[in-house]
Amino acid sequence: MATMADVARKAGVSRSTVSYTLSGIRPISDDVRERVRAAMRELDYSPNALARGLASKRSGIIAMLYPLLERGVNLSGLDHIGAAAAQAREAGYNMLLWTTAVEDIDGLEELTQQGLVEGVILMEVRQNDPRVRFLTDAGIPFSSIGRSGLEGDAPYVDTDFDGTARDALAHLESIGHRAVAFINHSRSTIEKGYGLALKMQLAMETAALALELDLVSVACDPQFRAGSDAFVTLSRERPEVTAIVSVNEKALVGVVDGITRSGLAVPDDISIVALLSSVETAETSVPSLTTVSPPPHEMGREAMRYLVECLESGTRAGHQRLVPGQLVVRESTGAARRHEHTATR
Amino acid sequence: MATMADVARKAGVSRSTVSYTLSGIRPISDDVRERVRAAMRELDYSPNALARGLASKRSGIIAMLYPLLERGVNLSGLDHIGAAAAQAREAGYNMLLWTTAVEDIDGLEELTQQGLVEGVILMEVRQNDPRVRFLTDAGIPFSSIGRSGLEGDAPYVDTDFDGTARDALAHLESIGHRAVAFINHSRSTIEKGYGLALKMQLAMETAALALELDLVSVACDPQFRAGSDAFVTLSRERPEVTAIVSVNEKALVGVVDGITRSGLAVPDDISIVALLSSVETAETSVPSLTTVSPPPHEMGREAMRYLVECLESGTRAGHQRLVPGQLVVRESTGAARRHEHTATR
DNA sequence: CTGTTAGCGCATTCAT
DNA sequence: ATGAATGCGCTAACAG
């Protein structure tokens, strides 16, 4: 590994000149610049990140906090990560992956005390997320995917829940559905501070009101069985329902089973729209699922972009954004069947 | 941020003594050790990773290479990562995540030239993987999950394909199956150097021979449609088949559909064993899938452990390991139906 | 057992 | 437009 001193010697200049040609923060004559560059090339020089970081107090490392031991991770998490990593790289940063639980503030403190990390990206943010509190107090720049409710003016990217609900219901309404069931997460999940469930609930109710649709909300455990049973009950008690909107990916598989068990078919009798689902899941389902989801790669990129901007310019303005969902119509939605109480049980 | 000098001053010792109490590589009197520790506590000192890395030439950072733009990533990838990250942390390392394509050797070179990374973990390893070649030439310690065929004595952890095939077939054999179909990846996948497909093929053939089972192999594109059609064809041409073993997760969903289309049921008419599938997928399938897979967290942990050992002791011996599959019987396998040509089409 | 000192490779201030 | 010199915070000889 060649060092800056090697380059300087070879180019016949001082070390600082080499440094400045690299950073460009002070004028360098064309002649010298060329000599330095040539020397770098010949020596296959590349700056040492540790030394640079130590001297400049800028490590160029961003930590991605992605708690992995939680509730079953889903595939869009990977998209977020991939997008954030790509964006980081383009901006000249490296991305550290930190996977301990949301509650592990000691670990987080240890990480940030090392002086290795310039900024942090938070994923799987919860209502009142302790990490947000810690990072704010510690004065460490961060940006989050999702909201905790206490970020203040810190940057974040979150789902536009209202838009997502509206798009889903508008799609159903446009093809004739009038009564829709909303399969949400379980109450215990909501209570654990998984804010998504609550926000989605409100958004659905608002959108249904605006579109004058009948909305039946069902809280459901994230299991096959729960979903299946939920539908059977639903179809008995609310036979007028012709469409289902779900944020509960796990339960949804069961719902489809419940529909089949009830002697009904998707989308002939019941249409389904999945919210915030990964493309993977939507496309490998049978039938494939119509979805409304904000593109995960956009969320990942934006969150990283905001953080980098904070790091480099100190600006925090306009760095809070709600990403609208994107409706992708697949096989699970179709025109509403005429409301004539088709066989159930 | 307190520095070592601060601690030294407060404890009334020299800087090096502080350093040595931390590393423990030279004897320190109990008295001094206590004073130093107290000073550290009071100042809330924690060593600067960059400075330490620069001075010691050991950054404490390991890069995890996990190409993300490839063929649809699966969920066990996340398990590998999570396990590796946990292991890294326990060993005192941080884990950098690098997500560019396998072919992006320039990017990899850039990363490793920075002097930021001490060692590398490779995932999604391909036959003749260019990354292995590069890292070997560059003399950068690495460990891989999967094999490229050119690691030499470099550490790796891979699936025990023979064991996996044997366990899957032995299970089927024990419940009366005599003719089994093997749904592999597509030929093009095999040709792209995705060695898993080839190794699994050989292992299945060997195991079938040993158990005196009839084996029909089918190469299949990773799509719903392909899987579905493949089964329909299969059941027409080989009606004696009562069980299916698959490594092709994507196609498998289709296979189940094909079975249904043929008027058959799982596991009453056809049993299914999924190989190398994630627990997630297995449990959310309908019916849930009997699987044989090596525990991904074990593979992740081991790969990381091997790398850390190389880094710290230079020992490479005995660091190549094949992890046996683990049979988990779920709903998709049952006793073979008596061979009596039940209705097809 | 402890202290002194010389770097690690680079950024940056102060000269010129 | 360029050079010289200092220091970032720590490790690891070397000296005692």
Side-chain angles (χ1 to χ4, degrees), chain A residues 152-176:
Chain A
D153 61 344
Y156 66 75
V157 177
D158 198 4
T159 303
D160 174 359
F161 294 99
D162 289 319
T164 298
R166 196 177 46 236
D167 290 352
L169 289 182
H171 168 57
L172 291 172
E173 198 264 355
S174 76
I175 53 181

Side-chain angles (χ1 to χ4, degrees), chain A residues 4 15-16 19-20 45:
Chain A
M4 223 165 207
R15 279 157 39 204
S16 60
S19 178
Y20 285 119
Y45 168 79

